Amino acid sequence: MIKLTSWFGQQSFMISSLSPRERVIQTALHLFYTEGFHAVGTNLICSEAKVNKSTLYHLFPSKVDMVLAALEVYASDITRKFTQIAKSKMPAEQKLEQIFETPFRANQDLKQQLGYVKGCFVGNIALELAGKEERVRTYLAHVFQTWAETIEPIVKELAIDRDVDTQKVSRSMIAYLQGAILLSKTHNDPQFIKDFAKSASALVL
């Protein structure tokens, strides 16, 4: 059994229920997220995913290919969650709070389970690899832009009757959220995320 750790806590998967490709992706996501990209070797991924090295390299020629696949799974989960929030019937202020509440709850759970706030996998990989791997940098830029576009309807609701560049504000909101997550990781305290949510709407003013 392997465990996937994400903003949504831990989910367990029976090895036999996943294809070799899925096993590698889920294992890589868990290990890269909890331990860091550079700290995890392919031998460990093979061991945890129950695949041999020839299968691993057939599926993913490099660790960069693995992290890109893991990022896609993780980022898609967050995009779906943000989309659900944006389309909900909640007031705009409450929607924005829920955008911050999602990583707060997940990191609170992760601290209880693992002892440390793990932050955001996308943000973590950006800090580790964006300056070194062009493919990763390009994909991360796409992810952050997608997230900004996903929450822009919320920003538009908050900015009604105001002359606001909602695209810029949405990008700023994602940067603000990432900053709050980074501080929570630095202090090993998820409460930073919740506290920053209280003043997030000020970015729209």
Side-chain angles (χ1 to χ4, degrees), residues 7 14 17 22 35 44 47 53 69 75 83-84 88 90 99 104 107-109 116 134 136 141 149 157 190-191:
W7 272 17
M14 294 300 297
S17 71
E22 289 172 328
E35 305 297 332
L44 179 58
S47 175
K53 222 158 202 185
T83 300
Q84 290 172 2
S88 71
M90 293 182 288
I99 293 294
F104 164 73
N107 276 287
Q108 191 175 50
D109 290 344
Y116 294 95
E134 181 63 20
V136 174
E149 291 171 357
E157 288 183 59
Q191 187 63 37

Side-chain angles (χ1 to χ4, degrees), residues 96 100 151 154-155 158-159 162-180 196-205:
L96 186 57
F100 282 75
I151 69 166
I154 302 173
V155 173
L158 289 168
R162 297 191 182 100
D163 184 17
V164 172
D165 186 331
T166 57
Q167 288 185 344
K168 286 185 178 180
V169 172
S170 299
R171 289 196 297 268
S172 297
M173 196 71 73
I174 294 299
Y176 183 80
L177 174 59
Q178 287 293 316
F196 271 65
K198 298 173 184 176
S199 54
S201 59
L203 293 174
V204 183
L205 300 179

Side-chain angles (χ1 to χ4, degrees), residues 8 73 75-85 147 150:
F8 310 110
V73 170
S76 295
D77 280 344
I78 304 303
T79 300
R80 282 192 291 271
K81 181 63 175 177
F82 284 179
T83 300
Q84 290 172 2
I85 294 170
W147 288 353
T150 303

Side-chain angles (χ1 to χ4, degrees), residues 67-190:
V67 80
L68 285 169
L71 283 166
E72 183 177 0
V73 170
Y74 184 93
S76 295
D77 280 344
I78 304 303
T79 300
R80 282 192 291 271
K81 181 63 175 177
F82 284 179
T83 300
Q84 290 172 2
I85 294 170
K87 290 182 176 180
S88 71
K89 301 300 184 181
M90 293 182 288
E93 292 82 358
Q94 190 174 348
K95 291 179 184 180
L96 186 57
E97 289 177 5
Q98 286 300 307
I99 293 294
F100 282 75
E101 187 73 14
T102 299
F104 164 73
R105 287 197 306 266
N107 276 287
Q108 191 175 50
D109 290 344
L110 289 168
K111 184 179 178 181
Q112 291 175 353
Q113 295 163 8
L114 305 175
Y116 294 95
V117 170
K118 294 299 178 180
C120 169
F121 180 52
V122 171
N124 294 350
I125 294 299
L127 292 173
E128 270 200 272
L129 295 180
K132 301 175 182 178
E133 295 288 345
E134 181 63 20
R135 284 194 296 156
V136 174
R137 187 201 66 74
T138 300
Y139 184 71
L140 292 172
H142 164 73
V143 170
F144 286 132
Q145 180 61 30
T146 298
W147 288 353
E149 291 171 357
T150 303
I151 69 166
E152 189 175 0
I154 302 173
V155 173
K156 286 181 177 179
E157 288 183 59
L158 289 168
I160 192 167
D161 298 327
R162 297 191 182 100
D163 184 17
V164 172
D165 186 331
T166 57
Q167 288 185 344
K168 286 185 178 180
V169 172
S170 299
R171 289 196 297 268
S172 297
M173 196 71 73
I174 294 299
Y176 183 80
L177 174 59
Q178 287 293 316
I181 294 170
L182 181 59
L183 280 173
S184 75
K185 186 177 179 182
T186 302
H187 291 272
N188 200 31
D189 184 358

Side-chain angles (χ1 to χ4, degrees), residues 8-73:
F8 310 110
Q10 289 192 341
Q11 298 173 289
S12 298
F13 297 88
M14 294 300 297
I15 286 290
S16 59
S17 71
L18 301 176
S19 69
R21 178 181 174 82
E22 289 172 328
R23 294 205 301 269
V24 171
I25 292 173
Q26 302 289 17
T27 300
L29 172 51
H30 172 71
L31 291 173
F32 290 155
Y33 186 26
T34 57
E35 305 297 332
F37 177 82
H38 292 298
V40 175
T42 54
N43 286 338
L44 179 58
I45 293 172
C46 287
S47 175
E48 293 291 319
K50 308 300 183 188
V51 298
N52 58 46
K53 222 158 202 185
S54 62
T55 298
L56 180 75
Y57 283 118
H58 173 72
L59 294 168
F60 301 99
S62 70
K63 277 178 66 179
V64 169
D65 292 302
M66 276 184 269
V67 80
L68 285 169
L71 283 166
E72 183 177 0
V73 170

